[in-house]
Amino acid sequence: MTETLPKAAGRARLIVLVLGVVYLALAVIGLAVLGWGSIRESENARLLGVFGLSRLLIVAHGALGVIAVLAALRRGASAFAAVATIVFVAMTAFGVVANVVGDVGDPLHMTWWNVGLYALSAVTCVYVYALRMRAEG
């Protein structure tokens, strides 16, 4: 049994809204941990004890969170999911390489927890996009 388009869209919007709030929360907590400063400053801090943290990563989390919330509120959840899947896969790939090679030259200070979060976010975005495809088809 296929879902109707409005029901699928509502579920997609809710999922993207939750994803956006999670990334906004990570940005705000990260900012509280590191504080303001130069993006180029390199501190090996941890967010919630496990996630790698840098000011550049705070900016990325904040931007993703704001865009996700706006997409959910403006009925653009499926479009966000399509683009965000690519972004999260790229962040996952960068994190894998950075963790395998080591922290040398990694401006984001990603840990395997970051990689897992981005991989899970990518899968979530694929699911959101699939909701729309299933409802349309």
Side-chain angles (χ1 to χ4, degrees):
M1 180 177 176
T2 60
E3 285 185 285
T4 63
L5 190 55
K7 188 175 179 183
R11 182 178 293 165
R13 289 174 63 199
L14 178 62
I15 292 169
V16 169
L17 182 64
V18 168
L19 195 64
V21 168
V22 166
Y23 277 95
L24 278 175
L26 287 174
V28 169
I29 295 169
L31 192 58
V33 169
L34 278 185
W36 295 106
S38 173
I39 283 184
R40 288 183 244 148
E41 287 179 21
S42 181
E43 295 180 31
N44 202 3
R46 293 282 180 250
L47 178 65
L48 303 175
V50 293
F51 294 107
L53 185 62
S54 70
R55 287 184 181 89
L56 188 56
L57 205 53
I58 292 170
V59 170
H61 287 168
L64 281 166
V66 167
I67 293 168
V69 168
L70 289 175
L73 296 177
R74 302 233 179 221
R75 300 177 188 256
S78 294
F80 169 81
V83 174
T85 298
I86 297 166
V87 170
F88 286 127
V89 167
M91 290 176 75
T92 301
F94 179 84
V96 167
V97 171
N99 278 293
V100 168
V101 172
D103 201 26
V104 178
D106 176 14
L108 302 178
H109 301 294
M110 287 189 189
T111 65
W112 288 109
W113 286 91
N114 291 83
V115 173
L117 175 68
Y118 304 139
L120 182 62
S121 298
V123 170
T124 302
C125 287
V126 167
Y127 174 73
V128 167
Y129 195 72
L131 282 174
R132 179 174 181 136
M133 294 291 103
R134 184 173 165 216
E136 286 180 352

